[in-house]
Amino acid sequence: MFDPLKSLVPGRQVLSRTLITINLALFSYILIDFLLYHTDYPVKERPSLLVAYSSPSVNPSLGSRQTTDRINENSECLHRDAYYEIEENHGENPWNQMKWMGEPARCKVKGHLIEKLDDINNFRRGFSLRFVDGVEDRTHVLPWLLASKESFHQRKRRVYLDFGANRFSTSVGWFLRMYPCDFTEVHAFEINSKLLKKPEKGFPEKENWADATANSTRVKRMPGVPQWMLDRITTYNKYVSDADNEGNQAINITRFIKEDLKLSAQDFVLVKMDIEGSEWPILNNWMDDPEMPHIIDELFVEIHYSHPSMTAYNWDAFKPKSRDEAKRLLADLRWKGFYAHFWP
Ligand SMILES: *[C@@H]1O[C@H](CO)[C@@H](O)[C@H](O)[C@H]1NC(C)=O
Ligand SMILES: *[C@@H]1O[C@H](CO)[C@@H](O)[C@H](O)[C@H]1NC(C)=O
């Protein structure tokens, strides 16, 4: 009988062992590469400019749905501290020069990338770096809007809640024009009735078309707010609060959302909140309420704190809250499942 082994001369045996060794090495390389870079197999931190405080504490109150949402993500994102990133080496980071729309945070929220929190340039980053004049600049949030990552047009109720609306153009106008969703309801709160004035009349869109013979511009004047849009807006001259108080014109905003508007996880709900410090108790309540991160799809909030750089804006009134605590609050909101941004 033909015995292949016996037929091998010694030189050939060495050669075939070498071939087997090379094949094994190649296979191991492919397997290790696959595990490290093409699966969610937990690996040690890859080289990065970012470091996160690491703590082994896992939040025991995470709901089961939140845990499932995150199962495919980096396991460290189960830890509260992973949402509170600190940045090192500012000088070497190109994002600190001109391209300040920023990098994504380490941990996704609701399955999507969200902007990294900025810890040294206030939260009005463009303004503090003098790239823009207006403290109200919001271009930094544009790449991270949830509705540009996922479509919500199928949802019957698409609701925009503006808490602390100020003038009509300040945020209601901005969200109606810029946010990539056709809202079916807008509820805007502003205690000062002189400040928030809904335009009295809708803009006559049909009459604004210029003659077809006109050479360049097709419309006669700058468009205003059309009537169909005004019809969807309700305004309230009330204080947004964590408790009802008729004498103070204060409204329990959690009750308003759940009981008056009857909003649920089936609706698309965007919240913008700028309520001069009252955000602290309200947001702390929402973090203990497992329903809220499911009801509220996206949250924009101005968190007020005291810091020398904000003295000119009278933010000393918000002592003893520090800028670091504000960042921690936003990081905790994300950890609890709120897709949350600093506003503006
Ligand atoms: C369009 O351009 C023509 C030629 O330049 C000019 O005569 C005419 O007046 C313009 N029409 C309008 C409506 O501006
Ligand atoms: C505000 O409303 C929520 C929801 O109905 C309720 O759980 C909470 O106790 C209310 N807060 C106060 C202070 O009554």
Side-chain angles (χ1 to χ4, degrees):
M1 259 228 300
F2 174 71
D3 183 341
L5 284 180
K6 269 187 192 157
S7 76
L8 288 172
V9 291
R12 272 211 184 148
Q13 265 176 13
V14 172
L15 184 68
S16 81
R17 278 205 196 110
T18 313
L19 279 174
I20 287 169
T21 312
I22 290 173
N23 276 331
L24 271 176
L26 205 62
F27 178 73
S28 311
Y29 171 80
I30 290 170
L31 183 71
I32 290 168
D33 180 80
F34 176 76
L35 286 177
L36 285 185
Y37 299 109
H38 305 279
T39 67
D40 292 323
Y41 184 80
V43 280
K44 266 187 82 189
E45 189 52 39
R46 286 165 202 138
S48 151
L49 288 176
L50 311 172
V51 290
Y53 293 128
S54 61
S55 133
S57 66
V58 174
N59 177 10
S61 69
L62 278 178
S64 61
R65 178 172 154 202
Q66 279 181 305
T67 316
T68 331
D69 283 350
R70 293 191 186 147
I71 215 111
N72 293 326
E73 289 180 28
N74 204 331
S75 61
E76 76 181 326
C77 287
L78 293 172
H79 298 230
R80 175 186 179 212
D81 287 339
Y83 291 82
Y84 178 92
E85 292 175 86
I86 54 166
E87 225 174 315
E88 280 192 339
N89 284 329
H90 284 277
E92 291 169 27
N93 188 340
W95 297 97
N96 281 290
Q97 306 300 320
M98 283 307 281
K99 195 74 175 175
W100 56 276
M101 67 171 53
E103 296 170 275
R106 174 196 300 252
C107 293
K108 291 179 176 180
V109 186
K110 293 189 193 282
H112 296 287
L113 294 179
I114 191 163
E115 77 276 13
K116 193 168 69 183
L117 301 179
D118 180 21
D119 44 337
I120 60 159
N121 298 308
N122 292 308
F123 304 117
R124 306 168 146 91
R125 187 174 177 136
F127 181 67
S128 80
L129 294 178
R130 301 190 175 221
F131 295 147
V132 292
D133 297 333
V135 78
E136 298 296 341
D137 180 68
R138 317 83 185 179
T139 40
H140 67 290
V141 295
L142 289 176
W144 313 102
L145 302 177
L146 189 61
S148 54
K149 296 166 183 287
E150 203 178 314
S151 173
F152 296 99
H153 293 274
Q154 305 276 336
R155 303 213 185 161
K156 251 201 199 127
R157 288 179 78 188
R158 302 180 295 276
V159 183
Y160 157 36
L161 306 175
D162 198 310
F163 302 142
N166 207 296
R167 277 168 289 123
F168 186 83
S169 58
T170 309
S171 50
V172 176
W174 190 86
F175 275 103
L176 288 180
R177 273 183 295 119
M178 300 298 285
Y179 194 82
C181 178
D182 176 23
F183 296 109
T184 57
E185 285 166 58
V186 178
H187 300 272
F189 283 69
E190 173 51 58
I191 187 70
N192 184 344
S193 58
K194 288 187 186 128
L195 212 50
L196 179 65
K197 280 209 170 78
K198 207 167 112 167
E200 275 174 11
K201 252 185 145 181
F203 180 78
E205 287 177 278
K206 283 190 187 121
E207 291 155 35
N208 199 37
W209 290 104
D211 285 348
T213 52
N215 291 333
S216 54
T217 47
R218 293 290 318 278
V219 292
K220 290 176 187 160
R221 51 193 185 100
M222 287 266 289
V225 185
Q227 189 61 43
W228 61 263
M229 203 179 260
L230 288 183
D231 291 343
R232 298 175 186 190
I233 303 172
T234 314
T235 57
Y236 306 77
N237 299 124
K238 302 251 183 201
Y239 280 114
V240 173
S241 171
D242 58 342
D244 286 307
N245 186 331
E246 272 185 40
N248 281 348
Q249 297 177 276
I251 198 161
N252 176 342
I253 209 64
T254 315
R255 187 193 52 70
F256 176 79
I257 289 172
K258 290 185 177 178
E259 291 165 27
D260 292 357
L261 297 184
K262 297 188 168 50
L263 292 172
S264 76
Q266 271 69 55
D267 307 308
F268 176 68
V269 180
L270 180 152
V271 170
K272 188 227 89 184
M273 186 185 274
D274 179 3
I275 49 176
E276 309 307 306
S278 300
E279 67 274 10
W280 287 94
I282 294 173
L283 296 178
N284 278 314
N285 285 346
W286 286 4
M287 283 196 289
D288 290 336
D289 183 338
E291 284 177 1
M292 289 314 277
H294 299 298
I295 296 178
I296 294 178
D297 291 276
E298 188 163 17
L299 172 65
F300 298 82
V301 58
E302 180 156 287
I303 304 179
H304 296 79
Y305 55 87
S306 173
H307 189 271
S309 69
M310 296 303 284
T311 303
Y313 302 94
N314 293 324
W315 277 32
D316 284 348
F318 304 115
K319 273 176 189 151
K321 297 297 182 192
S322 69
R323 187 162 73 181
D324 190 60
E325 284 173 287
K327 183 182 165 190
R328 171 60 84 180
L329 177 59
L330 205 81
D332 282 353
L333 283 162
R334 290 179 174 186
W335 172 58
K336 290 281 187 169
F338 289 92
Y339 193 87
H341 317 269
F342 280 118
W343 176 265

